[in-house]
Amino acid sequence: GENVEQHPSTLSVQEGDSAVIKCTYSDSASNYFPWYKQELGKRPQLIIDIRSNVGEKKDQRIAVTLNKTAKHFSLHITETQPEDSAVYFCAASRSGGGADGLTFGKGTHLIIQP
Amino acid sequence: DTAVSQTPKYLVTQMGNDKSIKCEQNLGHDTMYWYKQDSKKFLKIMFSYNNKELIINETVPNRFSPKSPDKAHLNLHINSLELGDSAVYFCASSQAHRGSGYTFGSGTRLTVV
């Protein structure tokens, strides 16, 4: 089955700086890669996703890049703000909504230092 | 309107008991899931279910069983609860083949004492 590795497990950045979280996946059939943000005591919420036919996607301060050949994808947050502090999860799926579900990385605790 | 709702939000129970968690979605999705988030925040799929198939993660003990009375509901029954079952359980839903992503419920924190 799919295996998703996520690094780093903790990331501390100064407010206003950029943050980068990296993931690798093992299943070459995976074609959907979402990123979720989870605040303490809350549900995971989708912040951005990318499909295997696209190399990069951007939404305001958040961008995701995908390298299919190397089987890795990354989340980039620019101009970080205190409200960006949370745990971020990458995930991979073969079907982007189908019954195989999502395989998650182990999460990155992002801390924004004021 | 809450898209994916779970009840109860908190559940404290003794070892050996049987309990259920309910999940309902009003998004018209055709596939629902249960995920377990352990104390280290690791999210792992337990089950996925749509009209045609139930996919069970092979690592899930058979004390756990999903029950779907209709397309909008997927409940989780747990028999003979153990201390290690303590976790947060998230329900989620998606529309297969639309690729619109997954929507999570707010979670049920289960504590077994």
Side-chain angles (χ1 to χ4, degrees), chain B residues 5-112:
Chain B
S5 59
Q6 299 178 224
T7 55
K9 189 169 176 64
Y10 300 97
L11 183 53
V12 181
T13 188
Q14 290 188 325
M15 283 175 56
N17 284 351
D18 303 338
K19 288 293 178 185
S20 296
I21 307 171
K22 295 186 177 181
C23 180
E24 176 181 4
Q25 55 96 4
N26 62 6
L27 297 167
H29 287 166
D30 64 0
T31 306
M32 296 182 73
Y33 312 82
W34 280 103
Y35 286 84
K36 178 181 180 180
Q37 187 169 43
D38 62 22
S39 57
K40 295 184 179 179
K41 302 294 186 186
F42 187 39
L43 272 162
K44 194 167 184 180
I45 190 166
M46 300 176 70
F47 304 100
S48 66
Y49 185 81
N50 62 20
N51 289 336
K52 301 171 187 175
E53 61 182 335
L54 170 66
I55 299 176
I56 302 170
N57 186 316
E58 60 187 15
T59 66
V60 175
N62 59 14
R63 298 181 294 102
F64 290 78
S65 58
K67 301 275 192 250
S68 180
D70 56 56
K71 217 171 81 164
H73 297 82
L74 183 66
N75 303 324
L76 182 65
H77 297 269
I78 316 169
N79 295 326
S80 303
L81 278 155
E82 300 178 356
L83 292 176
D85 298 333
S86 297
V88 180
Y89 292 85
F90 286 98
C91 178
S93 71
S94 70
Q95 181 66 25
H97 310 301
R98 181 190 294 174
S100 57
Y102 301 74
T103 302
F104 282 82
S106 57
T108 296
R109 181 174 294 278
L110 171 65
T111 304
V112 182

Side-chain angles (χ1 to χ4, degrees), chain A:
Chain A
E2 175 66 276
N3 182 48
V4 177
E5 299 283 342
Q6 182 172 347
H7 299 281
S9 57
T10 303
L11 178 60
S12 181
V13 302
Q14 289 294 125
E15 183 179 349
D17 288 350
S18 296
V20 180
I21 303 170
K22 298 182 179 182
C23 289
T24 59
Y25 61 98
S26 61
D27 186 353
S28 56
S30 289
N31 58 18
Y32 174 68
F33 307 93
W35 285 88
Y36 284 83
K37 176 183 180 181
Q38 188 179 27
E39 296 175 331
L40 189 62
K42 301 282 183 66
R43 76 188 77 195
Q45 293 206 298
L46 179 70
I47 55 171
I48 196 166
D49 57 11
I50 192 167
R51 298 184 187 281
S52 58
N53 58 348
V54 175
E56 184 174 356
K57 184 176 178 180
K58 191 172 181 181
D59 182 4
Q60 299 183 348
R61 295 187 298 109
I62 295 173
V64 57
T65 58
L66 170 65
N67 183 327
K68 275 172 46 180
T69 304
K71 289 196 228 152
H72 67 70
F73 56 113
S74 301
L75 177 72
H76 304 252
I77 306 175
T78 59
E79 300 172 17
T80 53
Q81 300 169 3
E83 54 265 35
D84 295 330
S85 294
V87 179
Y88 291 80
F89 294 94
C90 63
S93 168
R94 286 186 169 199
S95 60
D100 65 315
L102 294 169
T103 300
F104 283 91
K106 292 193 174 181
T108 295
H109 186 192
L110 177 62
I111 301 165
I112 308 300
Q113 303 277 8

